Amino acid sequence: MMRLRDASLQRKLTVIVMITTVVALTFAAVGYVAYDRFMMRTALGRDRTVLADIVGANSTAAITFDDQSAATETLAALRREPQVAVACLYKAGGALFAEYDRGGARGACPASPPGGLVDDLRFLDDRLDVTRPVVLDGRTIGAVYIASDLSELQARVRQFARGAAVIIVVASLIGLLLLWWLRGILARPILAVVETARAVSERKDYSVRARKYGQDEIGQLVDAFNEMLVQVHQRDEQLRAARDAAEEASRAKSVFLANMSHELRTPLNGIIGYSEMLVEEAADFGYARLTPDLERIGQAGKHLLAIINDILDLSKIEAGKMELHVESFRVEALVAEVVSTIQPLVQKNANTLDIDLDPSLGDEEMHTDRIRLRQSMWNLLSNACKFTHRGRITLRVWREGRDGPPWINFAVTDTGIGMTREQMDKLFQDFVQVDSSTTRKYGGTGLGLAISRRFCRHMGGDIDVTSHPGQGSTFTIRVPAAISAEAVSEVALRVAGA
Amino acid sequence: MQYLLRAVRRRTWVCALALALGPAALWPVHGQRLAEYEVKAAFLFNFVKFVEWPAEALPAGGPLLICVLGDDPFGDALDAITKGERVGGHETAIRRFRSLDQVRSCQVLFVSLSERRQMPAVFEAVRGASVLTVSDIDRFAASGGMINFTKQNYRIGFEINPQAAERARLRISSKLLSLAKIVEGPGSP
C-alpha cells in the first residue's frame, strides 16, 4: 500500500477500480452461488421428503400385510429417480423390511434407520439422508429411509462457480478496457498542470499558463495556479523595475560623487594650504601664539579631506571607475614603508608593534596594486592601534601555496578590545564603525575597512577577521602575489556588483 | 403386523399360556392352527383400514362391527386384536351369529368354513348392504364374495373381488388391491 501512494495517478486509478470491481463481482458471485446452493438443497430436501412420504403411503398395506415382495417392488419404483442411491423400508420395531439400491448391491441398508423411526433430514458430505415415518390411521407402523446422491448438485455448484470465475475475469478485462479509455478524463488535466508547473520551474518563465480542461476541482486548481503565476510574474516585473531603479540611483549617486571630486577638493586644498601659509606667516610676523588655532584649522581641513577622499574612493569603486595601478615591488620593502609611517600611531596608545616576516618570502616580488595594498595594510594597522591600549600589535606576513599560484598573507593581530559576532557582521558595511560611540572616541571615517576590502577583492583576494571580545582581533589580507590581466577585468565586473 | 402380534401376546392369557408352554412344536396341529388364525384375525382387522364404507352404512362416531358367521375359528384372537382399538375413529366390536337375521347390521362379515353351503343365502342376505364379506372358504371371492384368504407355501394371502365390493358401494384401497390376487366373480347375482 505504501508503494501505491507513490504510484502514478493512472496506476492508482487502475488498481482502485480493478480491486473494487473484482471484490464486488466476487462477493456477488459467491453470494449467488451460496444462495443457489442453499435453495437447491432446500428444494432437494423437500423433494425427497415428499418422495419418502409417497413411498411410505404406498407401503402401508405391504407393511400391514407383511408382503415383502410388494414392498420391495414399491421401493424399486425409485429407479425412476436417478439421484436416489438407496431406499430402505423399516417396520415398527426398527427391523429392515425392504430395500432398494440403485447399483443393485445388497446390504446397502443400515440395520436400522439412522436417527430412529422419526422424521429426520441431514446433509452429509456427498449424501442427503431423509427418514420419514410410515403412518396408517394415526399410528406409526414403520419408516422410510432414502439416501440421495449429492454429486450432481455439487457438480452444478462447481460448474456455477467456474462460470462465475470466468465472468469475473471477463468483466474485469472489460473494466480494464473501459478504464484505459476513460482514465484520460481524470489524468490528462492533472498531468497538464504538472507539466506546466515543471516547465515554469525549469525555465523560470512565468508567462506560461496551464491549460484548463473542465470546471471541476482540477479546473479550480488550474485557475489558482495560473493566478499565482500572474502574481509571480507581476512581482518579478516590479522587483526587476525596483532593482533597476535602485541600481540606477546608486550608480547616479556614485557618478555624481566621482564627478564632484574636483569640486570638493579644490576649496579644501585652499583651506589647508592657506592655513599652513598662515602658520608660517604668523611665525614670521611674531604672532606665534596664533599658531595652535591656525594649525587646528589645517587639521580640520585635512580630516575633512581624508573623509572626502574615502567617500570618493568608495563611490569610484561602486561606479566601476576604479582602475588598478599594477606595479612590481618587493614585499619586504612595502612592509618597511608601512611600518615606518605607522610608528607614531603605535606609540600614541603605548602599544608595541612586532613584525614577523616569514623567511620563505625572501626577495619575493609582488605584481599588483602597491598603493592600494599599502593603504589597506595601513588601515588595518591603524585600526589595531586605535582599538588597543598598552597592547601588542603583531604584523605577520607569509607566503601561501607551494603548488600553484602563490598567495601572500598579511595578518594584523592585536590584543585590543575585540568584537562580538554581531559586531563582526556589521564590520564591513559602509559608514558603520563597530558602534556609533567609537566614532567619537576613536576617530576615523568608518569607511576604511569597506574600502580596504573592496581593494583586496579587486586584486583577486579578500580580508578575513577573527575576534574575541576583550581578547583582541586578527585581520588577514590575503591576495595573489601576481594579478593577471584577465583577473583584472573579471574582478572589475565582480566589484561593480559587490 | 408385528405390533399386532405383539398386542396379542401382550394381552391374552392364551398368549401367556402359549409362551409359558414353550414352542408351538408341543402342540403341532393346534398351535399351527392358532397361529394361522391369529394372522387371519390380524388381516381381517387390518382390512378395515383399507376399506371405506359409505356414510349411511358407517355413521361417524358409530361402532364398527366385525361379525363372525358360523363356527368361530379365531378363538380369542379376534377379540384380543380388536379390544380397545379404534379404526378411523370408530370403536370396534365383535359379534357372533349363527343365523342371517342381523348380518346386514355388520360392517364386516366373516363367513366361516362351516357355512360353506350357505354361501348363496349369505350373499342374498347382504345384497345391497355395505357389508364387507370375508371368508377362507375356497373361491369365495370368485363366487360373489369380496375377500377370501388363500394359503400358498405357508404364506397367507388373499383374493379380492373388487366388483363385488363396488356393488356394495365399498371402496377398497388400491394399496390393498395391489397386494391381492384380483378375481372376478359372477355378474350381479
Side-chain angles (χ1 to χ4, degrees), chain A residues 399-411:
Chain A
R399 186 185 190 279
E400 188 196 308
R402 229 159 305 167
D403 18 82
W407 288 62
I408 312 291
N409 289 318
F410 304 84

Side-chain angles (χ1 to χ4, degrees), chain A residues 57 61 64-66 70 137 139, chain B residues 1 46 85 88 155 175-176 179:
Chain A
T64 306
F65 296 102
D66 208 23
D137 197 34
R139 277 203 205 80
Chain B
M1 179 62 193
N46 282 324
E85 292 291 331
R155 273 202 54 85
K175 299 171 194 170
L176 186 58
L179 297 182

Side-chain angles (χ1 to χ4, degrees), chain A residues 189-227:
Chain A
I190 294 179
L191 290 175
V193 175
V194 169
E195 259 319 298
T196 309
R198 210 179 281 149
V200 165
S201 190
E202 267 170 32
R203 300 202 308 255
K204 306 266 189 285
D205 177 6
Y206 299 100
S207 61
V208 178
R209 297 286 175 266
R211 183 170 153 196
K212 183 164 144 181
Y213 282 89
Q215 197 49 48
D216 59 353
E217 288 86 340
I218 299 174
Q220 291 167 21
L221 174 67
V222 168
D223 283 341
F225 181 71
N226 287 339
E227 177 64 32

Side-chain angles (χ1 to χ4, degrees), chain A residues 420-484:
Chain A
T420 63
R421 181 144 292 277
E422 287 121 356
Q423 290 168 331
M424 279 200 281
D425 288 340
K426 284 200 283 186
L427 207 51
F428 292 95
Q429 288 175 27
D430 302 348
F431 301 107
V432 172
Q433 283 198 319
V434 169
D435 60 75
S436 49
S437 61
T438 55
T439 318
R440 277 185 287 273
K441 191 171 172 194
Y442 297 105
T445 61
L447 285 176
L449 264 179
I451 294 174
S452 301
R453 184 180 237 189
R454 276 180 174 76
F455 284 161
C456 292
R457 285 188 172 164
H458 214 170
M459 287 186 264
D462 205 346
I463 299 182
D464 275 320
V465 57
T466 56
S467 180
H468 293 284
Q471 290 173 15
S473 321
T474 302
F475 286 78
T476 311
I477 295 174
R478 188 173 165 269
V479 287
I483 183 164
S484 58

Side-chain angles (χ1 to χ4, degrees), chain A residues 54 56-71 74 91-93 95 136-137 139-141, chain B residues 1-4 6 42-47 49-50 84-89 155-156 158 175-176 178-180:
Chain A
I54 291 172
N58 283 342
S59 305
T60 48
I63 292 175
T64 306
F65 296 102
D66 208 23
D67 194 336
Q68 206 164 24
S69 65
T74 305
K91 301 179 91 175
L136 177 65
D137 197 34
R139 277 203 205 80
T140 301
I141 60 171
Chain B
M1 179 62 193
Q2 305 279 34
Y3 107 87
L4 286 172
R6 223 186 310 140
F43 276 28
L44 181 62
F45 178 64
N46 282 324
F47 287 152
K49 296 179 184 175
F50 293 91
E85 292 291 331
R86 299 175 81 94
V87 175
R155 273 202 54 85
I156 295 171
F158 41 89
K175 299 171 194 170
L176 186 58
S178 67
L179 297 182

Side-chain angles (χ1 to χ4, degrees), chain A residues 369-383:
Chain A
D369 189 331
R370 184 176 70 89
I371 297 173
R372 302 248 161 75
L373 183 57
R374 189 189 61 185
Q375 189 174 338
S376 305
M377 273 178 63
W378 198 95
N379 178 249
L380 292 188
L381 283 167
S382 85
N383 283 343

Side-chain angles (χ1 to χ4, degrees), chain B residues 142-165:
Chain B
S143 310
M146 290 167 204
I147 304 178
N148 67 262
F149 289 111
T150 60
K151 204 154 63 161
Q152 306 138 334
N153 305 329
Y154 305 104
R155 273 202 54 85
I156 295 171
F158 41 89
E159 293 173 343
I160 299 185
N161 184 339
Q163 288 172 340

